[in-house]
Amino acid sequence: MIKLLLILLVGLAFESIGVVLLKKGVAQIGELKAISAGEVVRVVKDGASNPQILAGVFFEALFFGCLVFLLGKSDVSFLWPLTGLSFVFATFAAIWFLNERVSGLRWTGVALIMAGAALISYSEQVKRPPISPGTTLAPTQSPK
């Protein structure tokens, strides 16, 4: 399980790098000035040729590759909630690389996400082995 968590953490780092690069790229190309076909074409064209956006998409693809690998190795009910740690990684990346300020309320949310991830991780340690298809369970005794 340690190997899977390590791959997940690397994937989450890729995802956070991707988000930071996408944010920087979007800031470079600017906002939509109007909702029109010409303006949408401009933003798409500028985005498709922006090195920051292209690098961001590359890192998001690396994250997706890690996720696909992990989905083949672990339960979705274990893995998918842990991807919520991307919010924690992204918060720190936003502070360090985008100089964003994070309010106390947001930090509370980050702490709750981390607590949830810890519970999910712990649940993987204590889960029962799956029951084989041909196995019968002994009936439980009911109180008299």
Side-chain angles (χ1 to χ4, degrees):
M1 184 175 93
I2 297 296
K3 178 181 168 185
L4 295 179
L5 288 176
L6 185 60
I7 292 168
L8 176 65
L9 292 175
V10 168
L12 292 175
F14 287 153
E15 202 267 339
S16 293
I17 292 167
V19 167
V20 167
L21 289 168
L22 289 170
K23 171 69 175 165
K24 287 184 174 188
V26 167
Q28 288 175 353
I29 64 172
E31 298 179 14
L32 280 174
K33 294 174 181 61
I35 299 178
S36 67
E39 184 64 7
V40 170
V41 167
R42 178 196 68 82
V43 170
V44 170
K45 184 179 139 200
D46 290 351
S49 62
N50 182 285
Q52 299 274 350
I53 290 178
L54 294 174
V57 169
F58 172 75
F59 278 99
E60 292 290 344
L62 289 176
F63 166 67
F64 183 72
C66 291
L67 187 61
V68 168
F69 174 80
L70 291 169
L71 284 170
K73 301 284 185 187
S74 63
D75 296 340
V76 171
S77 61
F78 167 71
L79 177 66
W80 200 255
L82 288 179
T83 63
L85 288 172
S86 68
F87 296 112
V88 177
F89 279 57
T91 300
F92 283 108
I95 291 167
W96 293 330
F97 301 111
L98 301 172
N99 299 315
E100 290 186 9
R101 311 272 293 153
V102 179
S103 70
L105 186 58
R106 287 186 186 173
W107 280 120
T108 302
V110 168
L112 289 171
I113 290 168
M114 291 173 69
L119 287 173
I120 290 164
S121 218
Y122 176 74
S123 74
E124 184 69 8
Q125 296 292 326
V126 297
K127 81 176 185 181
R128 296 180 184 170
I131 298 172
S132 301
T135 306
T136 57
L137 297 175
T140 58
Q141 293 182 345
S142 59
K144 295 184 181 189

